[in-house]
Amino acid sequence: MQVKPSGTLDEYLAPVTIEEAARALADGRASVLAGGTDLMLQAANGRTPYRGRLVNIRRIAELRGAAITGGRVRIGALTTVTDILNHAELAKAVPVLRQTADKFASNQIRNMATIGGNICNASPAGDMIIPLLALEAEVELASWDGAKIRTREVALEKFFTGPGRTVMERGELLTAVSFAVPEAGHRVRFAKSGPRPALEISTVSAAFAATCKDGVTTNVRIVLGAVAPTPIRARSAEALMEGAECSGDLAARAAKAAAGEISPIDDVRASAWYRTHLTEVFVRRLIEDVCHG
Amino acid sequence: MSATVEINFTLNGRKRQLTIDAGLSALNLLRDKLDMTGTKYACGEGECGACTILVDGLSVNSCLMYAADFDGRDIVTIEGLRSDKGFDPMQDAFVEHGAIQCGFCMPGMIMQARHLADTNKDLTYDGLKRGLEGNVCRCTGYKKVFDAVADVIGIAK
Ligand SMILES: Cc1cc2nc3c(=O)[nH]c(=O)nc-3n(C[C@H](O)[C@H](O)[C@H](O)COP(=O)(O)OP(=O)(O)OC[C@H]3O[C@@H](n4cnc5c(N)ncnc54)[C@H](O)[C@@H]3O)c2cc1C
Ligand code: FES
Ligand code: FES
Protein backbone atom coordinates (compact mmCIF):
# COMPACT_ATOMS: atom_id res chain seq x y z
CA MET A 1 0.00 0.00 0.00
CA GLN A 2 2.96 2.31 0.36
CA VAL A 3 3.77 3.73 -3.06
CA LYS A 4 7.37 4.35 -3.95
CA PRO A 5 7.71 8.04 -4.77
CA SER A 6 9.38 9.27 -7.95
CA GLY A 7 12.60 11.26 -7.99
CA THR A 8 15.09 11.37 -5.12
CA LEU A 9 14.45 12.51 -1.60
CA ASP A 10 17.76 12.62 0.20
CA GLU A 11 17.33 15.55 2.57
CA TYR A 12 14.52 17.15 4.55
CA LEU A 13 14.45 20.70 5.91
CA ALA A 14 11.78 22.68 7.75
CA PRO A 15 12.94 26.31 7.70
CA VAL A 16 11.21 28.90 9.89
CA THR A 17 12.04 32.09 7.96
CA ILE A 18 11.77 33.12 4.31
CA GLU A 19 15.52 33.63 4.21
CA GLU A 20 16.24 30.12 5.47
CA ALA A 21 13.81 28.73 2.90
CA ALA A 22 15.29 30.76 0.03
CA ARG A 23 18.77 29.51 0.96
CA ALA A 24 17.52 25.93 1.10
CA LEU A 25 16.07 26.29 -2.41
CA ALA A 26 19.01 28.20 -3.90
CA ASP A 27 20.78 25.32 -5.67
CA GLY A 28 17.63 24.42 -7.59
CA ARG A 29 17.54 20.84 -6.36
CA ALA A 30 14.71 21.15 -3.87
CA SER A 31 10.97 20.57 -3.81
CA VAL A 32 8.70 22.87 -1.83
CA LEU A 33 6.11 21.30 0.48
CA ALA A 34 3.18 23.45 1.61
CA GLY A 35 -0.12 21.67 2.42
CA GLY A 36 0.93 18.60 0.45
CA THR A 37 -2.53 17.96 -1.04
CA ASP A 38 -1.09 18.04 -4.56
CA LEU A 39 2.53 17.09 -3.87
CA MET A 40 1.91 13.84 -1.97
CA LEU A 41 -0.01 12.29 -4.88
CA GLN A 42 2.03 13.86 -7.67
CA ALA A 43 5.32 12.65 -6.18
CA ALA A 44 3.82 9.16 -5.96
CA ASN A 45 2.49 9.06 -9.51
CA GLY A 46 5.54 10.64 -11.11
CA ARG A 47 3.98 13.93 -12.21
CA THR A 48 6.15 15.94 -9.82
CA PRO A 49 9.26 13.89 -8.98
CA TYR A 50 11.20 14.96 -5.89
CA ARG A 51 14.25 17.06 -6.72
CA GLY A 52 16.44 15.79 -3.89
CA ARG A 53 15.71 18.01 -0.90
CA LEU A 54 12.21 18.38 0.51
CA VAL A 55 11.72 21.85 1.98
CA ASN A 56 8.67 22.00 4.22
CA ILE A 57 7.69 25.68 4.37
CA ARG A 58 4.75 25.20 6.74
CA ARG A 59 6.75 26.47 9.76
CA ILE A 60 7.33 29.92 8.24
CA ALA A 61 4.85 31.99 10.26
CA GLU A 62 5.42 35.15 8.19
CA LEU A 63 4.00 33.39 5.11
CA ARG A 64 0.57 32.84 6.62
CA GLY A 65 -2.34 35.27 6.90
CA ALA A 66 -4.14 37.96 4.93
CA ALA A 67 -4.17 41.70 5.51
CA ILE A 68 -5.68 44.77 3.86
CA THR A 69 -3.53 47.89 3.98
CA GLY A 70 -3.48 51.04 1.87
CA GLY A 71 -6.20 49.77 -0.46
CA ARG A 72 -4.37 46.52 -1.22
CA VAL A 73 -5.09 42.98 -0.17
CA ARG A 74 -2.06 40.79 0.52
CA ILE A 75 -2.47 37.08 1.15
CA GLY A 76 0.54 35.08 2.34
CA ALA A 77 1.35 31.93 0.38
CA LEU A 78 0.64 29.62 3.33
CA THR A 79 -2.82 31.01 4.01
CA THR A 80 -5.14 28.01 3.83
CA VAL A 81 -8.45 27.87 2.01
CA THR A 82 -10.10 27.53 5.45
CA ASP A 83 -8.29 30.71 6.60
CA ILE A 84 -9.80 32.51 3.60
CA LEU A 85 -13.25 31.13 4.37
CA ASN A 86 -13.02 32.37 7.96
CA HIS A 87 -11.48 35.80 7.30
CA ALA A 88 -14.31 38.26 7.98
CA GLU A 89 -12.51 41.39 6.77
CA LEU A 90 -11.45 39.70 3.56
CA ALA A 91 -14.95 38.34 2.94
CA LYS A 92 -16.34 41.85 3.28
CA ALA A 93 -13.81 43.51 0.96
CA VAL A 94 -13.73 40.72 -1.66
CA PRO A 95 -16.69 38.35 -1.21
CA VAL A 96 -15.70 36.33 -4.27
CA LEU A 97 -12.76 34.75 -2.43
CA ARG A 98 -15.02 33.29 0.24
CA GLN A 99 -17.49 32.27 -2.46
CA THR A 100 -14.72 30.36 -4.24
CA ALA A 101 -13.22 28.89 -1.06
CA ASP A 102 -16.66 27.56 -0.16
CA LYS A 103 -16.73 25.51 -3.38
CA PHE A 104 -13.23 24.13 -2.86
CA ALA A 105 -12.77 20.39 -2.20
CA SER A 106 -13.82 19.28 1.29
CA ASN A 107 -13.42 20.64 4.80
CA GLN A 108 -10.41 18.37 5.44
CA ILE A 109 -8.63 19.45 2.25
CA ARG A 110 -9.43 23.14 2.81
CA ASN A 111 -7.77 22.82 6.24
CA MET A 112 -4.49 21.83 4.55
CA ALA A 113 -4.56 23.35 1.07
CA THR A 114 -2.76 26.68 0.74
CA ILE A 115 -3.39 29.48 -1.73
CA GLY A 116 0.31 29.44 -2.69
CA GLY A 117 0.10 25.72 -3.44
CA ASN A 118 -3.00 26.23 -5.57
CA ILE A 119 -1.20 28.88 -7.63
CA CYS A 120 2.14 27.04 -7.91
CA ASN A 121 0.49 23.76 -8.86
CA ALA A 122 -0.63 25.72 -11.95
CA SER A 123 -3.56 23.51 -12.83
CA PRO A 124 -5.84 25.09 -15.45
CA ALA A 125 -8.61 23.99 -13.05
CA GLY A 126 -7.09 25.63 -9.93
CA ASP A 127 -10.08 27.31 -8.34
CA MET A 128 -8.51 30.14 -6.32
CA ILE A 129 -6.59 31.27 -9.40
CA ILE A 130 -9.76 32.19 -11.30
CA PRO A 131 -11.07 35.03 -9.08
CA LEU A 132 -7.49 36.19 -8.45
CA LEU A 133 -7.07 36.68 -12.22
CA ALA A 134 -10.32 38.65 -12.30
CA LEU A 135 -8.88 40.81 -9.51
CA GLU A 136 -5.71 41.33 -11.62
CA ALA A 137 -3.56 39.98 -8.82
CA GLU A 138 0.21 39.71 -8.81
CA VAL A 139 2.44 37.21 -7.05
CA GLU A 140 5.60 37.92 -5.07
CA LEU A 141 8.56 35.63 -5.61
CA ALA A 142 11.64 35.43 -3.39
CA SER A 143 14.98 33.78 -3.99
CA TRP A 144 18.51 33.78 -2.60
CA ASP A 145 21.07 35.50 -4.84
CA GLY A 146 24.09 34.26 -2.88
CA ALA A 147 24.24 37.21 -0.50
CA LYS A 148 20.70 38.39 0.09
CA ILE A 149 17.02 37.83 -0.69
CA ARG A 150 15.98 38.90 -4.18
CA THR A 151 12.27 39.56 -4.77
CA ARG A 152 10.23 40.18 -7.87
CA GLU A 153 6.57 40.65 -8.66
CA VAL A 154 4.85 38.94 -11.58
CA ALA A 155 1.33 39.62 -12.81
CA LEU A 156 -0.65 36.42 -12.23
CA GLU A 157 -1.76 36.55 -15.85
CA LYS A 158 1.89 36.23 -16.94
CA PHE A 159 2.70 33.55 -14.37
CA PHE A 160 1.32 30.43 -16.07
CA THR A 161 2.94 28.93 -19.15
CA GLY A 162 1.14 25.58 -19.39
CA PRO A 163 -0.45 22.86 -17.29
CA GLY A 164 1.75 22.60 -14.16
CA ARG A 165 4.21 25.11 -15.64
CA THR A 166 4.98 28.66 -14.54
CA VAL A 167 7.63 31.35 -15.00
CA MET A 168 8.93 30.58 -11.51
CA GLU A 169 12.59 29.62 -11.47
CA ARG A 170 13.73 26.55 -9.57
CA GLY A 171 15.17 28.43 -6.60
CA GLU A 172 12.14 30.68 -6.21
CA LEU A 173 9.56 30.68 -3.45
CA LEU A 174 6.13 32.21 -3.88
CA THR A 175 5.64 34.35 -0.79
CA ALA A 176 2.33 36.18 -1.37
CA VAL A 177 -0.39 37.19 -3.79
CA SER A 178 -1.78 40.72 -3.76
CA PHE A 179 -4.30 42.91 -5.55
CA ALA A 180 -6.08 46.25 -5.20
CA VAL A 181 -9.32 46.25 -3.21
CA PRO A 182 -12.07 46.54 -5.85
CA GLU A 183 -13.58 50.01 -6.13
CA ALA A 184 -17.09 50.52 -4.78
CA GLY A 185 -19.64 49.05 -7.18
CA HIS A 186 -17.17 46.70 -8.82
CA ARG A 187 -18.53 43.17 -8.45
CA VAL A 188 -16.75 39.87 -8.92
CA ARG A 189 -18.43 36.45 -9.03
CA PHE A 190 -17.23 32.88 -9.46
CA ALA A 191 -18.91 29.76 -10.79
CA LYS A 192 -17.69 26.20 -11.14
CA SER A 193 -19.25 23.05 -12.47
CA GLY A 194 -19.34 19.54 -11.31
CA PRO A 195 -21.89 16.80 -10.71
CA ARG A 196 -21.85 17.69 -7.01
CA PRO A 197 -20.74 20.77 -5.09
CA ALA A 198 -17.98 19.11 -3.04
CA LEU A 199 -14.71 17.46 -3.99
CA GLU A 200 -14.99 18.40 -7.60
CA ILE A 201 -12.07 19.28 -9.79
CA SER A 202 -13.70 21.89 -12.01
CA THR A 203 -14.93 20.76 -15.42
CA VAL A 204 -15.30 24.42 -16.22
CA SER A 205 -14.87 27.40 -13.92
CA ALA A 206 -15.38 31.07 -14.59
CA ALA A 207 -15.16 34.45 -12.94
CA PHE A 208 -16.77 37.65 -14.09
CA ALA A 209 -15.96 41.14 -12.81
CA ALA A 210 -17.47 44.44 -13.83
CA THR A 211 -18.79 47.77 -12.67
CA CYS A 212 -22.36 48.31 -13.89
CA LYS A 213 -23.27 51.94 -13.40
CA ASP A 214 -26.09 53.89 -15.06
CA GLY A 215 -26.73 50.89 -17.29
CA VAL A 216 -23.17 50.77 -18.64
CA THR A 217 -20.55 48.07 -17.94
CA THR A 218 -16.93 49.04 -17.39
CA ASN A 219 -13.79 47.36 -16.02
CA VAL A 220 -14.98 44.07 -17.45
CA ARG A 221 -12.91 40.95 -16.79
CA ILE A 222 -13.86 37.46 -17.83
CA VAL A 223 -11.71 34.55 -16.63
CA LEU A 224 -12.13 30.92 -17.64
CA GLY A 225 -10.64 27.83 -16.02
CA ALA A 226 -10.17 24.23 -17.21
CA VAL A 227 -10.81 25.12 -20.85
CA ALA A 228 -7.25 25.83 -22.05
CA PRO A 229 -3.68 24.83 -21.02
CA THR A 230 -3.75 27.65 -18.45
CA PRO A 231 -6.56 29.72 -16.95
CA ILE A 232 -7.34 32.47 -19.48
CA ARG A 233 -8.86 35.92 -19.83
CA ALA A 234 -11.55 36.06 -22.54
CA ARG A 235 -10.31 39.31 -24.03
CA SER A 236 -12.61 39.64 -27.03
CA ALA A 237 -15.68 39.03 -24.87
CA GLU A 238 -14.38 41.64 -22.44
CA ALA A 239 -13.88 44.14 -25.30
CA LEU A 240 -17.39 43.51 -26.55
CA MET A 241 -18.79 44.44 -23.14
CA GLU A 242 -16.48 47.29 -22.15
CA GLY A 243 -18.47 50.55 -22.16
CA ALA A 244 -21.51 48.78 -23.59
CA GLU A 245 -25.05 49.18 -22.37
CA CYS A 246 -25.91 46.18 -20.23
CA SER A 247 -29.25 45.29 -21.72
CA GLY A 248 -30.85 43.17 -24.40
CA ASP A 249 -28.75 40.31 -25.61
CA LEU A 250 -25.36 41.66 -24.46
CA ALA A 251 -24.88 38.85 -21.92
CA ALA A 252 -25.71 36.21 -24.54
CA ARG A 253 -23.40 37.77 -27.15
CA ALA A 254 -20.50 38.12 -24.70
CA ALA A 255 -21.00 34.53 -23.51
CA LYS A 256 -20.87 33.29 -27.10
CA ALA A 257 -17.70 35.28 -27.73
CA ALA A 258 -16.09 33.86 -24.57
CA ALA A 259 -16.93 30.31 -25.66
CA GLY A 260 -15.16 31.07 -28.93
CA GLU A 261 -11.91 31.94 -27.16
CA ILE A 262 -11.29 28.63 -25.42
CA SER A 263 -9.36 25.52 -26.47
CA PRO A 264 -10.97 22.79 -24.37
CA ILE A 265 -9.99 19.11 -24.39
CA ASP A 266 -11.92 15.85 -24.19
CA ASP A 267 -11.03 14.00 -20.99
CA VAL A 268 -12.57 11.80 -18.31
CA ARG A 269 -14.42 14.73 -16.80
CA ALA A 270 -16.11 16.10 -19.91
CA SER A 271 -15.99 16.39 -23.68
CA ALA A 272 -14.73 19.53 -25.39
CA TRP A 273 -18.25 20.10 -26.70
CA TYR A 274 -19.71 20.03 -23.19
CA ARG A 275 -17.00 22.34 -21.87
CA THR A 276 -17.80 24.85 -24.62
CA HIS A 277 -21.49 24.64 -23.81
CA LEU A 278 -20.86 25.08 -20.07
CA THR A 279 -18.57 28.04 -20.66
CA GLU A 280 -21.27 29.85 -22.57
CA VAL A 281 -23.93 29.09 -19.94
CA PHE A 282 -21.69 30.07 -17.01
CA VAL A 283 -20.53 33.33 -18.53
CA ARG A 284 -24.07 34.34 -19.45
CA ARG A 285 -25.37 33.56 -15.97
CA LEU A 286 -22.49 35.36 -14.26
CA ILE A 287 -23.03 38.48 -16.38
CA GLU A 288 -26.76 38.46 -15.67
CA ASP A 289 -26.07 37.98 -11.98
CA VAL A 290 -23.56 40.84 -11.75
CA CYS A 291 -25.32 43.30 -14.08
CA HIS A 292 -28.94 42.64 -13.23
CA GLY A 293 -28.78 40.91 -9.82
CA MET B 1 19.24 6.93 -0.09
CA SER B 2 16.07 8.14 1.46
CA ALA B 3 16.13 11.02 3.92
CA THR B 4 14.96 10.45 7.47
CA VAL B 5 13.59 12.96 9.96
CA GLU B 6 13.25 12.94 13.70
CA ILE B 7 9.80 14.06 14.80
CA ASN B 8 8.46 14.95 18.23
CA PHE B 9 4.71 15.18 18.61
CA THR B 10 1.78 14.43 20.87
CA LEU B 11 -0.41 11.51 19.84
CA ASN B 12 -3.68 11.11 21.72
CA GLY B 13 -2.20 12.94 24.68
CA ARG B 14 1.08 11.00 24.76
CA LYS B 15 4.43 12.48 23.74
CA ARG B 16 6.14 10.53 20.98
CA GLN B 17 9.56 10.68 19.41
CA LEU B 18 10.32 8.81 16.21
CA THR B 19 12.65 8.75 13.24
CA ILE B 20 10.81 8.28 9.96
CA ASP B 21 11.26 8.50 6.19
CA ALA B 22 10.72 12.08 5.01
CA GLY B 23 8.25 11.04 2.30
CA LEU B 24 6.08 8.88 4.57
CA SER B 25 2.39 9.78 4.78
CA ALA B 26 0.83 10.37 8.17
CA LEU B 27 -1.59 7.52 7.44
CA ASN B 28 1.23 5.06 6.77
CA LEU B 29 2.98 6.18 9.95
CA LEU B 30 -0.11 5.57 12.04
CA ARG B 31 -1.15 2.26 10.52
CA ASP B 32 2.11 0.60 9.51
CA LYS B 33 4.68 1.95 11.95
CA LEU B 34 2.56 2.54 15.05
CA ASP B 35 -0.01 -0.24 14.49
CA MET B 36 -2.84 2.19 15.08
CA THR B 37 -5.28 0.82 12.55
CA GLY B 38 -8.34 2.75 13.71
CA THR B 39 -7.60 5.36 11.06
CA LYS B 40 -8.65 3.74 7.77
CA TYR B 41 -7.00 3.56 4.37
CA ALA B 42 -9.49 3.55 1.50
CA CYS B 43 -8.91 5.79 -1.52
CA GLY B 44 -5.47 7.09 -0.51
CA GLU B 45 -6.09 10.30 -2.42
CA GLY B 46 -8.18 12.66 -0.35
CA GLU B 47 -11.56 11.73 -1.76
CA CYS B 48 -13.20 9.61 0.94
CA GLY B 49 -12.30 10.94 4.40
CA ALA B 50 -11.78 7.47 5.95
CA CYS B 51 -8.31 8.59 7.07
CA THR B 52 -9.45 11.80 8.83
CA ILE B 53 -7.48 12.79 11.94
CA LEU B 54 -7.21 16.00 13.95
CA VAL B 55 -4.00 18.01 13.72
CA ASP B 56 -3.80 20.92 16.17
CA GLY B 57 -7.59 20.67 16.37
CA LEU B 58 -8.25 20.76 12.61
CA SER B 59 -9.43 17.79 10.57
CA VAL B 60 -7.16 16.66 7.75
CA ASN B 61 -6.86 13.68 5.41
CA SER B 62 -3.89 11.79 6.85
CA CYS B 63 -3.27 10.10 3.47
CA LEU B 64 -2.25 13.52 2.04
CA MET B 65 -0.26 14.74 5.01
CA TYR B 66 3.48 14.20 5.38
CA ALA B 67 4.25 12.46 8.68
CA ALA B 68 7.33 14.71 8.87
CA ASP B 69 4.92 17.58 9.44
CA PHE B 70 3.67 15.93 12.67
CA ASP B 71 6.73 17.49 14.32
CA GLY B 72 5.62 19.77 17.15
CA ARG B 73 1.94 19.11 16.57
CA ASP B 74 -0.90 17.72 18.61
CA ILE B 75 -2.47 14.71 16.87
CA VAL B 76 -5.75 13.02 17.77
CA THR B 77 -6.96 9.83 16.09
CA ILE B 78 -10.11 7.80 16.66
CA GLU B 79 -8.24 5.82 19.33
CA GLY B 80 -7.80 9.07 21.24
CA LEU B 81 -11.51 9.83 21.55
CA ARG B 82 -12.04 7.07 24.06
CA SER B 83 -10.91 7.92 27.56
CA ASP B 84 -11.07 6.26 30.98
CA LYS B 85 -14.50 7.82 31.31
CA GLY B 86 -15.77 5.95 28.27
CA PHE B 87 -16.55 6.85 24.70
CA ASP B 88 -16.76 10.37 23.33
CA PRO B 89 -20.35 11.70 23.23
CA MET B 90 -20.05 11.70 19.43
CA GLN B 91 -19.32 7.96 19.43
CA ASP B 92 -22.23 7.29 21.79
CA ALA B 93 -24.58 9.35 19.60
CA PHE B 94 -23.63 7.35 16.50
CA VAL B 95 -24.45 4.13 18.36
CA GLU B 96 -27.70 5.46 19.80
CA HIS B 97 -28.91 6.67 16.41
CA GLY B 98 -28.01 3.40 14.70
CA ALA B 99 -25.80 5.44 12.38
CA ILE B 100 -23.20 2.71 11.87
CA GLN B 101 -23.49 -0.18 9.44
CA CYS B 102 -20.28 -1.87 8.21
CA GLY B 103 -18.34 0.78 10.13
CA PHE B 104 -15.43 1.22 7.74
CA CYS B 105 -16.02 4.94 7.13
CA MET B 106 -16.86 5.62 10.77
CA PRO B 107 -13.49 6.51 12.32
CA GLY B 108 -13.09 9.23 9.70
CA MET B 109 -16.74 10.26 9.87
CA ILE B 110 -16.61 10.61 13.64
CA MET B 111 -13.33 12.55 13.61
CA GLN B 112 -14.79 14.98 11.08
CA ALA B 113 -17.99 15.26 13.13
CA ARG B 114 -15.86 15.98 16.21
CA HIS B 115 -14.04 18.71 14.26
CA LEU B 116 -17.35 20.28 13.22
CA ALA B 117 -18.71 20.21 16.76
CA ASP B 118 -15.49 21.73 18.13
CA THR B 119 -14.97 24.49 15.58
CA ASN B 120 -18.40 25.71 14.43
CA LYS B 121 -20.42 27.25 17.22
CA ASP B 122 -23.48 28.11 15.14
CA LEU B 123 -23.68 25.22 12.75
CA THR B 124 -27.01 24.49 11.06
CA TYR B 125 -28.30 21.10 9.91
CA ASP B 126 -27.44 22.04 6.31
CA GLY B 127 -24.07 23.30 7.49
CA LEU B 128 -23.22 19.99 9.10
CA LYS B 129 -24.24 18.13 5.94
CA ARG B 130 -21.81 20.30 4.00
CA GLY B 131 -19.17 19.77 6.68
CA LEU B 132 -19.34 16.02 6.08
CA GLU B 133 -19.03 16.32 2.29
CA GLY B 134 -15.50 14.93 2.41
CA ASN B 135 -16.60 11.68 4.06
CA VAL B 136 -18.00 8.94 1.86
CA CYS B 137 -20.16 6.17 3.31
CA ARG B 138 -21.27 3.27 1.14
CA CYS B 139 -23.81 1.88 3.60
CA THR B 140 -25.87 4.24 5.69
CA GLY B 141 -27.35 6.80 3.32
CA TYR B 142 -26.10 9.47 5.76
CA LYS B 143 -29.45 10.40 7.32
CA LYS B 144 -28.78 8.78 10.70
CA VAL B 145 -25.24 10.11 10.66
CA PHE B 146 -26.51 13.68 10.24
CA ASP B 147 -29.08 13.14 12.99
CA ALA B 148 -26.45 11.80 15.39
CA VAL B 149 -24.17 14.77 14.81
CA ALA B 150 -27.08 17.22 15.04
CA ASP B 151 -28.00 15.67 18.36
CA VAL B 152 -24.50 16.18 19.80
CA ILE B 153 -24.22 19.74 18.54
CA GLY B 154 -27.75 20.45 19.76
CA ILE B 155 -29.38 21.61 16.55
CA ALA B 156 -32.88 20.95 15.29
CA LYS B 157 -33.42 19.13 12.02
C1 LIG C 1 -9.43 15.21 -3.21
C2 LIG C 1 -8.89 16.52 -3.71
C3 LIG C 1 -9.77 17.54 -4.06
C4 LIG C 1 -9.29 18.76 -4.54
N1 LIG C 1 -10.18 19.73 -4.85
C5 LIG C 1 -9.75 20.90 -5.36
C6 LIG C 1 -10.67 21.93 -5.72
O1 LIG C 1 -11.89 21.82 -5.50
N2 LIG C 1 -10.17 23.07 -6.28
C7 LIG C 1 -8.82 23.23 -6.50
O2 LIG C 1 -8.44 24.27 -7.01
N3 LIG C 1 -7.93 22.29 -6.13
C8 LIG C 1 -8.35 21.13 -5.58
N4 LIG C 1 -7.44 20.16 -5.22
C9 LIG C 1 -6.00 20.38 -5.46
C10 LIG C 1 -5.19 20.93 -4.25
O3 LIG C 1 -5.85 20.67 -3.02
C11 LIG C 1 -4.98 22.44 -4.38
O4 LIG C 1 -4.30 22.74 -5.57
C12 LIG C 1 -4.21 23.05 -3.18
O5 LIG C 1 -4.45 24.43 -3.12
C13 LIG C 1 -2.71 22.82 -3.21
O6 LIG C 1 -2.13 23.47 -2.10
P1 LIG C 1 -1.10 22.73 -1.11
O7 LIG C 1 -0.72 23.72 -0.09
O8 LIG C 1 -1.66 21.45 -0.63
O9 LIG C 1 0.08 22.48 -2.13
P2 LIG C 1 1.28 21.42 -2.16
O10 LIG C 1 0.79 20.10 -2.53
O11 LIG C 1 2.09 21.53 -0.92
O12 LIG C 1 2.12 22.06 -3.36
C14 LIG C 1 1.63 22.08 -4.69
C15 LIG C 1 2.78 22.43 -5.64
O13 LIG C 1 3.17 23.78 -5.50
C16 LIG C 1 4.50 23.90 -5.02
N5 LIG C 1 4.46 24.96 -4.00
C17 LIG C 1 3.54 25.05 -2.99
N6 LIG C 1 3.70 26.21 -2.33
C18 LIG C 1 4.73 26.86 -2.91
C19 LIG C 1 5.35 28.12 -2.67
N7 LIG C 1 4.93 28.95 -1.71
N8 LIG C 1 6.38 28.49 -3.47
C20 LIG C 1 6.80 27.68 -4.48
N9 LIG C 1 6.25 26.48 -4.75
C21 LIG C 1 5.21 26.07 -3.99
C22 LIG C 1 4.87 22.53 -4.51
O14 LIG C 1 6.24 22.28 -4.67
C23 LIG C 1 4.03 21.62 -5.37
O15 LIG C 1 4.65 21.37 -6.60
C24 LIG C 1 -7.89 18.94 -4.70
C25 LIG C 1 -7.00 17.93 -4.32
C26 LIG C 1 -7.48 16.74 -3.83
C27 LIG C 1 -6.51 15.67 -3.42
S1 FES D 1 -7.88 7.39 2.41
FE1 FES D 1 -7.50 9.47 2.78
S2 FES D 1 -9.23 10.44 1.95
FE2 FES D 1 -9.53 8.36 1.36
S1 FES E 1 -21.00 2.32 7.46
FE1 FES E 1 -20.20 1.16 5.81
S2 FES E 1 -19.10 2.66 4.67
FE2 FES E 1 -20.12 3.83 6.15
Side-chain angles (χ1 to χ4, degrees):
Chain A
M1 113 179 169
Q2 205 179 323
V3 192
K4 216 161 172 45
S6 55
T8 45
L9 207 178
D10 52 29
E11 195 184 353
Y12 172 88
L13 292 174
V16 295
T17 65
I18 292 174
E19 180 176 324
E20 279 174 26
R23 282 167 175 261
L25 298 175
D27 65 3
R29 53 175 305 281
S31 303
V32 173
L33 165 64
T37 62
D38 281 317
L39 189 65
M40 177 69 87
L41 301 176
Q42 290 179 18
N45 69 22
R47 228 194 88 184
T48 312
Y50 290 124
R51 291 172 178 165
R53 189 180 307 119
L54 185 61
V55 179
N56 177 2
I57 60 171
R58 285 238 290 183
R59 305 307 154 108
I60 308 177
E62 58 189 312
L63 284 181
R64 187 161 177 185
I68 306 177
T69 39
R72 263 191 103 70
V73 178
R74 189 172 181 279
I75 306 175
L78 279 187
T79 308
T80 65
V81 179
T82 294
D83 291 340
I84 289 171
L85 210 49
N86 292 339
H87 200 297
E89 199 194 352
L90 193 63
K92 196 154 169 269
V94 246
V96 70
L97 291 183
R98 176 180 278 180
Q99 195 206 347
T100 309
D102 187 53
K103 297 193 163 79
F104 194 106
S106 63
N107 194 169
Q108 290 96 318
I109 299 218
R110 290 193 293 270
N111 286 341
M112 297 197 269
T114 66
I115 195 159
N118 198 235
I119 296 169
C120 292
N121 189 53
S123 161
D127 284 330
M128 299 311 297
I129 298 167
I130 308 303
L132 288 170
L133 280 169
L135 292 158
E136 303 204 311
E138 39 183 65
V139 293
E140 300 172 21
L141 304 174
S143 56
W144 185 249
D145 75 358
K148 59 176 190 326
I149 295 269
R150 191 171 63 100
T151 58
R152 61 173 180 140
E153 270 106 62
V154 180
L156 191 58
E157 201 190 348
K158 300 258 156 62
F159 187 70
F160 305 106
T161 54
R165 291 206 313 272
T166 71
V167 300
M168 207 163 41
E169 284 157 26
R170 272 191 167 213
E172 279 182 318
L173 180 72
L174 189 144
T175 51
V177 56
S178 72
F179 53 88
V181 176
E183 59 180 24
H186 187 71
R187 304 216 285 164
V188 194
R189 293 284 158 78
F190 172 79
K192 94 183 230 191
S193 75
R196 67 186 187 127
L199 278 173
E200 201 56 64
I201 304 297
S202 296
T203 306
V204 166
S205 55
F208 177 74
T211 306
C212 304
K213 207 170 150 234
D214 306 327
V216 173
T217 45
T218 51
N219 281 323
V220 179
R221 291 156 207 165
I222 300 172
V223 185
L224 304 170
V227 291
T230 67
I232 56 161
R233 289 269 295 263
R235 296 277 182 188
S236 65
E238 290 179 5
L240 194 145
M241 288 196 73
E242 189 65 37
E245 217 169 297
C246 43
S247 59
D249 62 352
L250 181 69
R253 281 190 295 126
K256 200 160 202 63
E261 292 181 67
I262 63 176
S263 45
I265 53 165
D266 289 311
D267 70 6
V268 289
R269 272 186 271 280
S271 66
W273 175 86
Y274 186 56
R275 286 198 159 92
T276 309
H277 172 73
L278 276 184
T279 302
E280 191 172 335
V281 172
F282 278 11
V283 173
R284 181 172 48 73
R285 284 192 193 150
L286 284 169
I287 297 173
E288 286 168 354
D289 181 26
V290 168
C291 297
H292 310 298
Chain B
M1 185 191 87
S2 180
T4 56
V5 202
E6 188 192 293
I7 51 174
N8 290 279
F9 58 104
T10 306
L11 179 61
N12 298 330
R14 239 185 86 201
K15 294 236 175 301
R16 308 291 293 242
Q17 183 180 50
L18 290 167
T19 299
I20 54 150
D21 277 352
L24 189 73
S25 77
L27 180 60
N28 284 143
L29 170 65
L30 291 169
R31 292 184 57 86
D32 301 346
K33 310 278 173 213
L34 299 176
D35 261 338
M36 295 182 52
T37 51
T39 307
K40 298 300 176 213
Y41 176 100
C43 70
E45 43 188 63
E47 300 278 355
C48 77
C51 65
T52 302
I53 60 170
L54 301 183
V55 177
D56 289 341
L58 293 184
S59 61
V60 307
N61 303 109
S62 61
C63 67
L64 298 179
M65 182 173 180
Y66 283 76
D69 206 41
F70 268 11
D71 191 44
R73 300 193 191 276
D74 184 26
I75 313 297
V76 181
T77 67
I78 189 72
E79 288 91 344
L81 284 201
R82 198 189 197 298
S83 70
D84 296 343
K85 294 187 213 80
F87 285 113
D88 187 270
M90 192 64 80
Q91 293 172 304
D92 286 334
F94 272 66
V95 174
E96 279 155 26
H97 281 265
I100 303 168
Q101 289 188 29
C102 84
F104 194 82
C105 68
M106 285 299 156
M109 194 72 85
I110 290 170
M111 295 313 283
Q112 178 57 18
R114 192 68 263 161
H115 166 82
L116 292 174
D118 293 343
T119 55
N120 299 50
K121 290 284 156 271
D122 29 47
L123 203 65
T124 60
Y125 194 78
D126 279 344
L128 83 83
K129 281 162 94 175
R130 290 231 36 214
L132 291 168
E133 275 171 348
N135 294 80
V136 175
C137 175
R138 303 266 72 181
C139 305
T140 64
Y142 304 99
K143 177 77 173 82
K144 291 178 177 176
V145 170
F146 298 151
D147 289 349
V149 183
D151 207 3
V152 173
I153 304 181
I155 50 180
K157 283 169 229 168

